[in-house]
Every structure is written in C-alpha cells, then in structure tokens.
Amino acid sequence: MNEIMEMNEDVNIEKRGVRTETMILLNDERVMNVTCVDNKEEMVTLRNIHKDIFIDESRSQISSKSDLFCYAREEVINRLKMAADSLPVGYQFLVKEAYRPLSRQKKSFEEAFESYKSEYPLKSQDEIYGLTCQYVAPIEVAGHPTGGAIDITLLKNGIEVDMGTEFNDIPYEPENLTYLYSQFISEDAKANRNILIECMEKAGFINYPTEWWHWSYGDCYWACLNHCDAKYSGVREEDIVMSGELI
Ligand SMILES: C[C@@H](N)C(=O)N[C@H](C)C(=O)O
Ligand SMILES: [Zn+2]
C-alpha cells in the first residue's frame, strides 16, 4: 500500500504512460465540499434492460446482502444502456454491484479502516483514513448508497475477460494493479480496460481511479470532477420502491 500518501494530498499518476494527471481521492476536500441537490430520480433495476448488460447474481464478490444491489438511478440506467450500445461486437457488461445500503457502506469503511490500522500500527489516524479512502468511500461522499455508482466488468462471449486484477482486489504498492491506468498489467488487460473506459466515458461516467471497475454518474465524486452539484444523495433502503420484478 502507499506508504507516503497524506490526507488531501494529490497523487500524480501516469495516464496511459503519456500524460501525467492529478488523481483526486475521495477524502479530498474538493469532493467533501460538493453541494448535493437530490433530484429525487427513481431507483430502477438493472435486470433485463439491455441485451448486453448482465448481472452477477452470485454476489460472491460483494459483501452487501441487499436485494437492491442491482438497482441504480434512472439516468444511470439510461447512460449504462448508451454505454452498452457502444461495446464492440462480442462484448457485454457484467454488473457486480450498484446500490449499496448506507449501513453496509459504513461497516465496510470501518472494517477497512481497522484492517489498515493493524497493518500499519505506526501510521497516524489521518494517514489510515487516507489509505482507507483509496479503497472504500466514507459515507458522506459514497456513490453506491446514492444509486449513482456501478461496479462493472466486461464479458467476451459470456466469459469474464482479463482486466489485470480480480474485481474488488486491493491496490498494493508499487504496482497498484487495480489503478485504472496501472502500467504493470498485460497488454491484453490494458486493451480490455480501454474498451471499458471508452464506453463508460462516452456515456458520461467518471471512474474512481484506484479501482478500474468503479464508475459513477451524479454522485459527489462525479460532481467534483465535472465542477457541478451532485444530483444524488444517499437513499435509505426502506425508502426504495422495488420495480415490481421477481427477485
Ligand atoms: C469497496 C469497493 N468495492 C468500493 O465500492 N469502493 C468505492 C470507492 C466505494 O466504496 O464507493
Ligand atoms: Zn464501487
């Protein structure tokens, strides 16, 4: 893990090995200070919305037990369909997780924080907080509980492709293989990530750069990078009306 990262410090990364950009992490005050005006858009299921969008119904790689794990805001769904329309022939999306209850988000943050604390006993609370934010969002700015974030990978002819790491792997220094633009992954994996990047960015999604699979629209992180207000705030699980499907 990153030994020298400080809270609110920008991290320089090589993007595609050509340009150096500044990576904004979730604990950055620019993200924390985003104003949110929730537009009250509905939460809708991701099931059966497009011929090339599949859901990992096994839930084997996520900790949420919520039946709403594959729900997202309406505009997020529309934009994911647009992204799916631009997939190369033979590729499909596999959604791992979308909506996540606030209680689960809080628990995941606390668990990761405690785990980093025991791994790095000499680090300050602020340093541990910064490390944790590389991997899990603090609830104040978390995208999943708003219905604005989606964890997604690619299938080719129905089989998960090589993305350089497993979904939800933890980034370890110096390779940081889960970073979207890690240079230490194979050429095949880079090509697969590029497909994901092209399709998702064209549809208006923003990636969280430490996790190749995490994309959002309308949440605080998206708003910060787009210099606008966030459209979605956290939604309580009990306030979501299911869209009449059998799950
Ligand atoms: C824990 C990981 N799957 C994740 O969701 N991370 C992002 C940053 C989040 O918590 O929103
Ligand atoms: Zn995510």
Side-chain angles (χ1 to χ4, degrees), residues 139-153:
I139 52 165
E140 300 84 345
V141 292
H144 285 286
T146 72
I150 295 190
D151 293 338
I152 195 162
T153 189

Side-chain angles (χ1 to χ4, degrees), residues 73-122:
R73 297 284 188 137
E74 207 169 5
E75 183 62 17
V76 173
I77 304 272
N78 290 337
R79 286 175 181 271
L80 193 64
K81 289 200 267 187
M82 281 165 51
D85 283 339
S86 60
L87 281 166
V89 175
Y91 286 84
Q92 302 88 31
F93 284 138
L94 180 65
V95 175
K96 297 283 186 176
E97 187 175 17
Y99 174 75
R100 181 187 299 155
L102 278 162
S103 53
R104 182 61 250 178
Q105 185 74 35
K106 188 164 179 285
K107 204 155 177 242
S108 294
F109 190 88
E110 287 164 359
E111 285 167 1
F113 187 92
E114 289 309 316
S115 150
Y116 282 118
K117 215 160 84 176
S118 16
E119 202 175 334
Y120 300 109
L122 302 179

Side-chain angles (χ1 to χ4, degrees), residues 17-136:
V18 181
R19 274 182 10 238
T20 301
E21 284 210 348
T22 298
M23 193 192 278
I24 297 175
L25 295 179
L26 282 157
N27 59 332
D28 192 295
E29 60 184 16
R30 288 167 289 184
V31 182
M32 293 284 183
N33 289 336
V34 161
T35 303
C36 179
V37 185
D38 195 295
N39 68 7
K40 308 287 180 209
E41 233 170 72
E42 258 189 62
M43 289 275 204
V44 183
T45 180
L46 280 145
R47 291 190 179 102
N48 305 317
I49 56 163
H50 190 286
K51 70 175 178 42
D52 290 327
I53 299 178
F54 294 84
I55 316 289
D56 184 351
E57 300 282 0
S58 79
R59 309 188 203 183
S60 60
Q61 292 168 297
I62 65 172
S63 41
S64 171
K65 300 281 172 270
S66 172
D67 285 336
L68 300 170
F69 80 102
C70 64
Y71 274 58
R73 297 284 188 137
E74 207 169 5
E75 183 62 17
V76 173
I77 304 272
N78 290 337
R79 286 175 181 271
L80 193 64
K81 289 200 267 187
M82 281 165 51
D85 283 339
S86 60
L87 281 166
V89 175
Y91 286 84
Q92 302 88 31
F93 284 138
L94 180 65
V95 175
K96 297 283 186 176
E97 187 175 17
Y99 174 75
R100 181 187 299 155
L102 278 162
S103 53
R104 182 61 250 178
Q105 185 74 35
K106 188 164 179 285
K107 204 155 177 242
S108 294
F109 190 88
E110 287 164 359
E111 285 167 1
F113 187 92
E114 289 309 316
S115 150
Y116 282 118
K117 215 160 84 176
S118 16
E119 202 175 334
Y120 300 109
L122 302 179
K123 284 192 184 294
S124 69
Q125 292 281 106
D126 277 358
E127 286 172 318
I128 298 293
Y129 188 84
L131 280 176
T132 309
C133 288
Q134 270 196 106
Y135 184 62
V136 193

